[in-house]
Amino acid sequence: MVRRKREKRRPPFGMPKGIVLLVTPEGWRCSVLTVEGGMLCGRLADLPVNAGPAEARAAATAMVVGLVHDFHELRVDVTWDPPGQPGSWTAQVTVASTLPNARG
Protein backbone atom coordinates (compact mmCIF):
# COMPACT_ATOMS: atom_id res chain seq x y z
CA MET A 1 0.00 0.00 0.00
CA VAL A 2 1.31 3.42 -0.95
CA ARG A 3 0.96 6.16 1.63
CA ARG A 4 0.42 9.73 0.71
CA LYS A 5 2.83 12.27 2.00
CA ARG A 6 1.18 14.10 4.87
CA GLU A 7 0.73 17.74 3.96
CA LYS A 8 1.12 20.37 6.63
CA ARG A 9 -2.15 22.29 6.78
CA ARG A 10 -2.30 26.01 7.30
CA PRO A 11 -4.12 27.16 10.42
CA PRO A 12 -7.56 28.64 9.70
CA PHE A 13 -6.23 32.14 10.45
CA GLY A 14 -2.87 33.91 10.36
CA MET A 15 -0.47 34.55 13.19
CA PRO A 16 -1.79 37.37 15.41
CA LYS A 17 0.30 40.51 15.78
CA GLY A 18 -2.13 42.90 17.45
CA ILE A 19 -5.47 43.25 19.21
CA VAL A 20 -7.97 46.11 19.14
CA LEU A 21 -10.60 46.09 21.88
CA LEU A 22 -13.67 48.34 21.79
CA VAL A 23 -16.56 48.84 24.18
CA THR A 24 -19.97 49.25 22.53
CA PRO A 25 -23.51 49.51 23.94
CA GLU A 26 -24.03 45.85 22.92
CA GLY A 27 -20.84 44.59 24.60
CA TRP A 28 -17.12 44.23 24.03
CA ARG A 29 -15.82 43.88 20.44
CA CYS A 30 -12.40 42.49 19.60
CA SER A 31 -10.37 42.55 16.38
CA VAL A 32 -7.24 40.44 15.98
CA LEU A 33 -4.77 41.70 13.35
CA THR A 34 -2.51 39.12 11.70
CA VAL A 35 1.04 39.22 10.38
CA GLU A 36 -0.28 38.32 6.91
CA GLY A 37 -2.56 41.38 6.88
CA GLY A 38 -5.81 39.64 7.82
CA MET A 39 -8.26 40.52 10.53
CA LEU A 40 -10.52 38.39 12.73
CA CYS A 41 -13.37 40.37 14.30
CA GLY A 42 -16.08 39.50 16.75
CA ARG A 43 -17.68 39.96 20.11
CA LEU A 44 -16.29 38.66 23.39
CA ALA A 45 -19.40 36.53 23.87
CA ASP A 46 -18.72 35.09 27.33
CA LEU A 47 -18.16 38.54 28.79
CA PRO A 48 -21.04 40.46 30.41
CA VAL A 49 -21.96 43.77 28.75
CA ASN A 50 -21.18 45.63 31.97
CA ALA A 51 -17.71 44.06 32.42
CA GLY A 52 -14.88 46.48 33.08
CA PRO A 53 -11.91 47.18 30.81
CA ALA A 54 -9.49 45.03 32.85
CA GLU A 55 -11.82 42.03 32.59
CA ALA A 56 -12.26 42.60 28.83
CA ARG A 57 -8.49 42.85 28.27
CA ALA A 58 -7.98 39.62 30.24
CA ALA A 59 -10.66 37.83 28.17
CA ALA A 60 -9.18 39.05 24.86
CA THR A 61 -5.69 38.04 26.00
CA ALA A 62 -6.87 34.55 27.01
CA MET A 63 -8.68 34.11 23.69
CA VAL A 64 -5.63 35.04 21.58
CA VAL A 65 -3.17 33.04 23.71
CA GLY A 66 -5.44 29.99 23.47
CA LEU A 67 -5.94 30.26 19.70
CA VAL A 68 -2.21 30.65 19.05
CA HIS A 69 -1.45 27.70 21.33
CA ASP A 70 -4.03 25.46 19.63
CA PHE A 71 -3.46 26.39 15.99
CA HIS A 72 0.14 27.63 15.73
CA GLU A 73 1.68 25.60 18.57
CA LEU A 74 3.41 28.69 19.94
CA ARG A 75 3.37 30.68 23.13
CA VAL A 76 2.80 34.40 22.87
CA ASP A 77 2.97 37.45 25.10
CA VAL A 78 0.26 40.10 24.88
CA THR A 79 1.29 43.61 25.92
CA TRP A 80 -1.47 46.20 26.26
CA ASP A 81 -0.61 49.75 25.20
CA PRO A 82 -1.46 52.68 27.50
CA PRO A 83 -5.09 53.79 27.02
CA GLY A 84 -5.59 56.10 24.05
CA GLN A 85 -9.10 57.13 23.10
CA PRO A 86 -11.85 56.45 25.64
CA GLY A 87 -13.51 53.08 25.05
CA SER A 88 -10.69 51.51 23.02
CA TRP A 89 -7.50 49.63 23.82
CA THR A 90 -4.75 48.12 21.68
CA ALA A 91 -2.21 45.40 22.35
CA GLN A 92 0.85 43.91 20.67
CA VAL A 93 1.22 40.13 20.32
CA THR A 94 4.77 38.71 20.23
CA VAL A 95 6.03 35.14 20.06
CA ALA A 96 7.45 33.94 23.38
CA SER A 97 8.55 30.40 22.40
CA THR A 98 7.56 27.20 20.68
CA LEU A 99 5.80 24.57 22.73
CA PRO A 100 8.04 21.75 23.98
CA ASN A 101 6.15 19.07 22.06
CA ALA A 102 5.57 21.12 18.87
CA ARG A 103 5.71 19.26 15.62
CA GLY A 104 8.28 20.52 13.14
Side-chain angles (χ1 to χ4, degrees), residues 4 15 21 25 28 32 39 49-50 55 59 74 76 78 86 95:
R4 282 195 219 177
M15 182 65 189
L21 184 63
W28 291 92
V32 179
M39 186 181 305
V49 173
N50 61 349
E55 194 176 354
L74 296 171
V76 292
V78 176
V95 175

Side-chain angles (χ1 to χ4, degrees), residues 35-98:
V35 172
E36 298 83 0
M39 186 181 305
L40 173 70
C41 300
R43 185 171 64 93
L44 292 174
D46 294 337
L47 201 61
V49 173
N50 61 349
E55 194 176 354
R57 287 191 304 268
T61 297
M63 177 190 71
V64 169
V65 167
L67 288 171
V68 171
H69 176 273
D70 293 346
F71 291 103
H72 294 280
E73 297 180 336
L74 296 171
R75 290 188 180 136
V76 292
D77 293 321
V78 176
T79 307
W80 290 94
D81 300 328
Q85 296 181 347
S88 73
W89 293 263
T90 58
Q92 307 305 312
V93 180
T94 54
V95 175
S97 67
T98 57

